[in-house]
Amino acid sequence: MKNVTLAIDESLLREARRIAADRSTTLNAMIREFLEELARRESRATLARERIVDLCRNSRAEIGPRTWTRDALHER
């Protein structure tokens, strides 16, 4: 594991340490868990976007004739 140095406002640091203590964990563990979850979400989102692009490229869906006009759609 690598160590990282962060610059954090002192009042934020106090509050974060209090929260960690309330949760019976360490600030280090909380930050690590947050970053792990962030990386997991980003990875899943990237995979989902790639899957959508793949589905679009390989779709056999056909678009029928346009039976409407822009004016008809916006009639009031």
Side-chain angles (χ1 to χ4, degrees):
M1 262 196 223
K2 297 283 185 175
N3 289 325
V4 177
T5 301
L6 299 173
I8 301 174
D9 181 74
E10 199 158 325
S11 62
L12 174 60
L13 179 60
R14 270 194 308 274
E15 183 65 13
R17 282 181 172 157
R18 185 195 61 74
I19 293 168
D22 289 347
R23 295 179 181 183
S24 300
T25 189
T26 64
L27 185 56
N28 189 51
M30 284 180 31
I31 292 169
R32 186 180 325 108
E33 288 170 12
F34 171 79
L35 293 175
E36 286 171 350
E37 180 61 25
L38 177 65
R40 241 188 323 273
R41 285 183 187 180
E42 287 296 317
S43 179
R44 285 195 326 244
T46 297
L47 290 174
R49 283 189 295 272
E50 289 171 355
R51 179 74 175 129
I52 290 169
V53 169
D54 185 52
L55 288 170
C56 290
R57 285 190 180 132
N58 296 313
S59 174
R60 294 184 181 160
E62 294 182 20
I63 299 173
R66 187 169 78 181
T67 59
W68 47 267
T69 64
R70 184 177 188 280
D71 291 336
L73 289 177
H74 295 283
E75 282 182 358
R76 291 180 186 217

